[in-house]
Amino acid sequence: MAGKRTARRVLAGGVALAAAGWALREVPAELGVRPLASGPDRVARMRQSPQFRDGAFVNPMPEQTTLIGRPPVSLLGELAKDKEQRRPGGLIPLRVPPSEPPPADGLRVVWYGHASTLVEIEGKRVLFDPVWSKRPSPSQLVGPKRHHPVPLELGELPEIDAIAISHDHYDHLDLATVRSLTRTQRAPFLVPLGIGAHLERWGVPAYRIIELDWEEEAEVAGLRIIATAARHFSGRTFTRNDTLWGSWVVAGASKRVFYAGDSGYFSGYKGIGAQHGPFDLTLMPIGAYSPAWPDIHMNPEEAVNAHLDLGGRLLLPVHWATFTLALHPWAEPVDRLWREAKARDVKIVVPRPGEAVDTSAAQAVEGWWELLT
C-alpha cells in the first residue's frame, strides 16, 4: 500500500512538473528580442530617432522614477496587505459588443477591459493594445489575474482595419493575442520603433508591421494614424528602453481620436492638442498610479488635465478595473475621475467592459462600479 502511495505521489509530481514545463515553454519567446540585434534597417531607423540617445530611448521630460527595475522589498510587503481593497467586491458586469457594422460617418467605441479598446471611426475599426490573456506576464503561472473575462473571444472580433500598440509592456503587448490576431485578421500592426522585432519573432509577416517614430504617420484604410509622444518607458526584461513607447492619433475625414497608452502627465499634451486636435474622444489611463512612480503613470486628476490640454470633448477612462497593478483600491481611480470631471465640467463616459458607446449620444455616468465596492 505504501508503495502504491509513493508511486501516486511520484506520478502526480511528474504530471505537475510536466504541466509547469508546458506552461513555461513560451517564456523565451515572451521576452521578445533585442531590437538592436534584429537587423541593420531597423537599427538604423532607431539610431536616427531624436528620442534615441546613448543606446536607448529617452523621454523629452526625464522621469525621476527609480522603480523600473526590481521592486524593493518594501513594495512587495505592501502588495501583501489589504488585498481585498484592490479587487472588486463582486462580479464585474459585462456587455456583449454590437455585431452590426460601425456607423459610416460616426464614432463608436468598445472598451474590452484594461487598455484594450476598439474604436470604430467613420466605418473603420482600430484596435488598441489588445490583451486577451489571463495574466499580463511572461508566464501564465504568475502575475496578476484578470478580475473579469474578456467580453468576447478573439475569434469573435469583427474585421479589424488596424491594430495599434503603444509599447511593449506585458499588459499592452501580449504574445498569445498577437499570434491569434495574426491568424484571424489581416490588419497591419502599427507600433513604435523597435517593437517590430518582437512581432517578427512571434510570426507576424514583415508586410503587416508598420514601425513609426513620434510624429510619423501612416494611412491605413483611409485613416491617418499618427504616432505621438508619451512619458513612459519600455522593456520586457530587466533591459530597459530598447524600444520606443508612444500614444496614437487616429484622424478620419471629420472625427479624431487620441489614445494615450501609458504615460505620466507632461507638457507635450498641449503640443499634441495644438497640432492634431481637437479630439472627439480621448482614451486616457487613470489607474496603476503611485507616488513611487509619478512620472510614468497619470493619476485621474492628471488624466483630466491631459484631456483638456488635448482639446478633448469626451473622455473614456482606460487602464483600470481589469488587473491589479498598483496599491490603490480597485475603484479609487474612477471615483477620483468622476469627482474631478464634475468639478471641472468635463464630459466623461464609463462603460462596462463590452459596452458600446456612441460618442454623439453618450449616456450619463451611472456609477455601476459603486455596487462592487
Side-chain angles (χ1 to χ4, degrees):
M1 183 66 70
K4 290 183 178 180
R5 285 198 298 269
T6 300
R8 284 196 294 267
R9 285 197 294 268
V10 170
L11 178 60
V15 170
L17 285 173
W22 178 259
L24 293 171
R25 74 195 186 283
E26 293 288 8
V27 169
E30 287 274 11
L31 298 178
V33 299
R34 297 296 304 276
L36 287 175
S38 65
D41 292 341
R42 176 175 293 110
V43 171
R45 288 200 64 205
M46 291 170 63
R47 292 192 182 279
Q48 291 167 3
S49 170
Q51 283 62 249
F52 194 85
R53 301 174 200 162
D54 301 323
F57 290 100
V58 297
N59 283 304
M61 293 176 63
E63 74 283 351
Q64 303 302 314
T65 303
T66 59
L67 189 61
I68 57 175
R70 293 176 176 85
V73 175
S74 59
L75 176 62
L76 297 178
E78 289 296 322
L79 286 170
K81 299 178 183 177
D82 302 321
K83 288 184 178 180
E84 294 304 317
Q85 294 184 21
R86 297 195 294 274
R87 63 184 62 158
L91 295 177
I92 295 175
L94 306 180
R95 294 292 182 266
V96 177
S99 57
E100 70 271 13
D105 58 355
L107 178 57
R108 189 169 67 185
V109 59
V110 179
W111 175 59
Y112 296 122
H114 195 58
S116 303
T117 310
L118 179 69
V119 167
E120 299 179 322
I121 176 172
E122 297 177 359
K124 307 299 181 182
R125 295 185 175 102
V126 181
L127 181 62
F128 290 104
D129 285 355
V131 173
W132 257 247
S133 290
K134 292 181 179 179
R135 301 177 189 262
S137 169
S139 169
Q140 292 300 297
L141 296 177
V142 296
K145 293 181 181 180
R146 282 185 171 274
H147 295 311
H148 66 84
V150 185
L152 81 172
E153 298 300 321
L154 270 172
E156 299 173 338
L157 279 175
E159 183 176 353
I160 306 298
D161 294 285
I163 302 163
I165 307 294
S166 63
H167 63 294
D168 71 359
H169 287 159
Y170 292 98
D171 58 324
H172 294 258
L173 178 65
D174 178 59
L175 179 151
T177 303
V178 166
R179 285 180 170 170
S180 180
L181 290 172
T182 302
R183 293 191 305 269
T184 60
Q185 297 282 345
R186 295 179 294 177
F189 291 81
L190 292 97
V191 297
L193 290 177
I195 294 179
H198 298 323
L199 300 187
E200 287 179 354
R201 166 78 188 275
W202 300 343
V204 181
Y207 69 86
R208 287 182 61 181
I209 301 172
I210 302 173
E211 287 183 73
L212 299 176
D213 200 351
W214 294 347
E215 295 305 326
E216 292 182 343
E217 66 179 75
E219 182 172 329
V220 178
L223 300 172
R224 288 177 60 225
I225 304 180
I226 307 154
T228 45
R231 192 184 189 192
H232 200 54
F233 70 106
S234 68
R236 296 177 76 83
T237 64
F238 292 124
T239 300
R240 297 299 184 189
N241 299 344
D242 56 356
T243 63
L244 186 60
W245 50 94
S247 55
W248 293 100
V249 170
V250 179
S254 62
K255 303 294 184 182
R256 289 176 179 259
V257 175
F258 178 79
Y259 173 70
D262 273 4
S263 181
Y265 179 75
F266 73 120
S267 60
Y269 287 121
K270 291 183 179 179
I272 295 171
Q275 185 168 354
H276 302 294
F279 296 99
D280 300 281
L281 174 69
T282 69
L283 303 168
M284 305 303 297
I286 64 167
Y289 49 83
S290 169
W293 51 85
D295 301 326
I296 57 174
H297 279 178
M298 284 181 274
N299 63 38
E301 293 79 14
E302 289 170 328
V304 172
N305 287 340
H307 169 81
L308 293 172
D309 288 348
L310 290 159
R313 300 189 178 103
L314 177 67
L315 186 160
L316 190 152
V318 300
H319 210 267
W320 79 285
T322 305
F323 303 113
T324 295
L325 301 176
L327 296 175
H328 57 68
W330 175 75
E332 182 184 283
V334 72
D335 284 335
R336 287 174 58 173
L337 175 73
W338 198 10
R339 184 164 56 246
E340 185 74 3
K342 287 185 286 190
R344 302 180 69 179
D345 196 27
V346 168
K347 187 176 182 181
I348 69 171
V349 61
V350 186
R352 300 156 181 82
E355 184 176 359
V357 174
D358 185 331
T359 61
S360 66
Q363 300 297 313
V365 177
E366 295 181 17
W368 56 265
W369 65 88
E370 294 178 323
L371 300 175
L372 306 176
T373 60

